[in-house]
Amino acid sequence: MLITFLLLLIVSTSTTLQLAAKKDPAPILMKNLRAAGGNERIMNQKILSFRTRTAVYTAQNDGRLRVNYSFQEPVVYKSIFTRDNEVICNSLGKISTLRGVEKDLWQILGKLMGGCYSLRNFNKPWIYQGIKTMGRESYHHLTTNHGKLRIDFLVDHGDGLVKQMALRGKDGIDQSWAQTWEFGGYRLVECISLPKTFFFSQVGEQGTSTPRTQVITGIQLNPQLEADFFSDSQINT
């Protein structure tokens, strides 16, 4: 009797995993895009800009991103921006090119924020991993890749919005690297669904994790920018 039960459990689990692997993620991606505001509206809102306590994030709907770090404007002590297939950092006038997982991280954030927190800017293939339950909430679990990183998204089963993004890869030859982002308190701004906060934690070299929560303020859609805003490496120090 016990052996029969175990065999049925194994067959049931195997079938569930096969169904999850075969499920078409397209309807979930479409629901997510509609929940974020819709493709046409997001395309019309070409630029998203917002502030956190120490930085101003500016993202274009094609995935370009610039983050200016400042304790008091207009002084900027560090700027990170994506340009073509590069990610440039200007820290107190010292310019460097970011590589590896750091480069991938900023390009992924540009895709997500430029798509106003939808998944429209991410390329196939998408793999549907099934439903993930956390407490009373349930999420569609989707995975894709960018550069050296695997990306795991949790899309709310109810409202269709992205609630979590986990990035995993190798920083160097053997060093594992992982970072998790959570987005909360979505509200409508000119019919675009934007989070009120984001929280991220990164697993350190010793396996410790340092959480950081940022409150999003000063949201602007389509602000006026200089023509070379996303390519000029100069900062006002």
Side-chain angles (χ1 to χ4, degrees):
M1 189 73 176
L2 179 59
I3 294 175
T4 302
F5 172 76
L6 290 174
L7 286 172
L8 288 172
L9 181 61
I10 291 170
V11 170
S12 176
T13 303
S14 176
T15 302
T16 300
L17 292 173
Q18 288 175 10
L19 289 173
K22 291 180 180 179
K23 184 176 176 66
D24 183 6
I28 300 166
L29 296 172
M30 288 301 298
K31 181 177 181 179
N32 166 252
L33 185 56
R34 288 194 300 269
N39 190 62
E40 183 177 354
R41 188 172 285 118
I42 291 172
M43 286 298 293
N44 288 335
Q45 303 294 351
K46 298 182 185 301
I47 305 290
L48 167 67
S49 179
F50 62 86
R51 303 171 186 273
T52 63
R53 186 171 61 87
T54 58
V56 176
Y57 290 71
T58 307
Q60 187 158 302
N61 60 13
D62 62 2
R64 281 181 285 176
L65 175 70
R66 184 169 195 133
V67 184
N68 287 335
Y69 291 88
S70 173
F71 291 117
Q72 185 174 357
E73 291 189 280
V75 176
V76 174
Y77 68 88
K78 183 168 75 170
S79 183
I80 296 175
F81 59 95
T82 62
R83 183 173 65 188
D84 297 325
N85 195 37
E86 293 183 318
V87 178
I88 309 297
C89 175
N90 183 336
S91 181
L92 296 174
K94 183 179 180 180
I95 299 174
S96 60
T97 301
L98 302 185
R99 305 184 188 281
V101 295
E102 265 197 298
K103 172 186 175 181
D104 295 338
L105 166 65
W106 293 107
Q107 290 179 331
I108 289 167
L109 288 176
K111 286 174 177 286
L112 183 66
M113 294 174 178
C116 291
Y117 297 90
S118 76
L119 303 179
R120 67 177 297 275
N121 284 333
F122 292 89
N123 298 324
K124 296 178 180 180
W126 286 99
I127 299 175
Y128 183 72
Q129 303 286 358
I131 296 290
K132 185 171 183 178
T133 301
M134 299 169 65
R136 295 183 177 181
E137 306 298 330
S138 60
Y139 306 91
H140 294 290
H141 182 187
L142 299 171
T143 61
T144 188
N145 295 281
H146 177 85
K148 297 181 178 181
L149 294 178
R150 165 176 162 151
I151 316 172
D152 290 75
F153 287 104
L154 294 186
V155 178
D156 194 289
H157 187 269
D159 62 27
L161 296 169
V162 173
K163 299 299 174 66
Q164 187 185 93
M165 176 179 73
L167 311 175
R168 295 178 178 84
K170 295 286 186 181
D171 187 9
I173 299 174
D174 298 317
Q175 183 65 53
S176 295
W177 184 95
Q179 196 173 91
T180 300
W181 291 67
E182 296 181 5
F183 308 96
Y186 277 84
R187 66 298 182 60
L188 287 175
V189 178
E190 297 184 29
C191 298
I192 303 290
S193 294
L194 300 173
K196 293 180 181 178
T197 62
F198 63 76
F199 162 98
F200 68 95
S201 59
Q202 181 170 327
V203 178
E205 293 182 358
Q206 303 303 317
T208 59
S209 181
T210 304
R212 300 173 180 86
T213 300
Q214 301 289 334
V215 177
I216 294 173
T217 62
I219 294 172
Q220 296 184 68
L221 294 172
N222 287 336
Q224 293 295 316
L225 302 174
E226 298 292 334
D228 60 353
F229 178 82
F230 289 103
S231 60
D232 184 9
S233 60
Q234 300 304 308
I235 59 176
N236 180 19
T237 57

